[in-house]
Amino acid sequence: MTGLSIAPGKTVQAGQQLMALGSGQEIEIVVHLDQNDLYLVDLGTTATAEVSNQTIMGQVSSIYPEVKDDKISSFLAHIKLTNNQDDLLKPGMPVNVRIDTGQSVTVPAVPTASIFQDEQGRNFIYVVANGTAVRQQISIGETIGDFTEITSNVPQEIMVITSNVNEIKNGDAIVVMQ
C-alpha cells in the first residue's frame, strides 16, 4: 500500500491522488483437503500448478476449515504462488495442482499408445483373455512421458495389447509372443 500524509489545514486539489491501494488481487490457489489429507500437508509444503503447459510454483500459506451446515466438511489449503510470471494464472482459471506430501504410491499405468477412445470419448484398452482380444473400458488419470495412469479397477496381472490397437476388433484371436 502506498499512502500520503496530509497535515491538518493543508489544501487538497480536486483530482489529486491521496492514496493508492494494491489491487487486492494477489492470486492464490485454494485446494480442498479431506481430513486424512490434512495430516500430510503442513504450512510451507511445496505445491506446483500446471496451467497452459507451464508450471507455477507455490507453497501452502494457510489451512482453514470449510464449514457447511454447522459442520466442518473439509479443509481449504491456500497456496501462495512464488512465480506467477506474466500473470499466467488468472482468477477463476482451472489448474492441476500437486502438493508434495512426501508420500508416493504405485499406480497402474499402460503405454499411452495402447489407449483408444470411442465416439462418446470413453477410453478403452484391449486385454488378452483366453487367446482373444477383449475391449475393456477404463478411466484414466495423469499422463507422464509415454505412460498413462489407469484410475479404474483392473486386475493386476492382465496382459494389455500395446501395438496395432487401431487394427484390432473385440473378440479377435490373439497370439501372444514372448
Side-chain angles (χ1 to χ4, degrees):
M1 177 173 93
T2 304
L4 174 65
S5 298
I6 303 293
K10 289 285 187 178
T11 308
V12 178
Q13 302 295 321
Q16 179 182 352
Q17 182 175 346
L18 297 178
M19 186 179 299
L21 299 175
S23 68
Q25 292 296 318
E26 184 173 332
I27 304 294
E28 281 189 340
I29 298 172
V30 179
V31 178
H32 286 268
L33 299 176
D34 292 329
Q35 181 79 33
N36 294 340
D37 298 332
L38 186 62
Y39 301 109
L40 300 173
V41 179
D42 295 314
L43 296 181
T45 299
T46 303
T48 56
E50 287 183 18
V51 61
S52 302
N53 294 324
Q54 294 188 6
T55 300
I56 301 172
M57 298 301 296
Q59 287 185 323
V60 175
S61 60
S62 60
I63 300 173
Y64 297 107
E66 182 178 41
V67 179
K68 289 183 179 175
D69 301 323
D70 295 328
K71 295 180 185 172
I72 296 176
S73 61
S74 67
F75 294 85
L76 301 175
H78 292 250
I79 300 169
K80 184 175 183 170
L81 304 175
T82 56
N83 71 333
N84 189 17
Q85 299 157 336
D86 303 323
D87 292 326
L88 183 63
L89 190 60
K90 307 279 188 227
M93 184 179 257
V95 296
N96 290 324
V97 177
R98 283 193 188 91
I99 298 177
D100 182 9
T101 63
Q103 303 282 320
S104 62
V105 295
T106 302
V107 297
V110 295
T112 304
S114 65
I115 300 171
F116 62 97
Q117 288 186 337
D118 65 5
E119 301 80 32
Q120 288 78 36
R122 296 176 297 191
N123 296 298
F124 294 91
I125 56 174
Y126 281 114
V127 298
V128 177
N130 299 322
T132 60
V134 177
R135 186 173 81 163
Q136 180 170 347
Q137 185 174 351
I138 58 169
S139 298
I140 61 172
E142 187 174 340
T143 297
I144 298 176
D146 294 333
F147 290 89
T148 299
E149 172 187 16
I150 298 177
T151 57
S152 53
N153 290 330
V154 292
Q156 287 242 348
E157 299 299 321
I158 63 170
M159 293 184 71
V160 177
I161 299 173
T162 60
S163 61
N164 301 322
V165 293
N166 293 329
E167 300 169 15
I168 298 173
K169 302 226 181 334
N170 197 35
D172 280 355
I174 299 296
V175 176
V176 177
M177 312 232 357
Q178 299 195 14

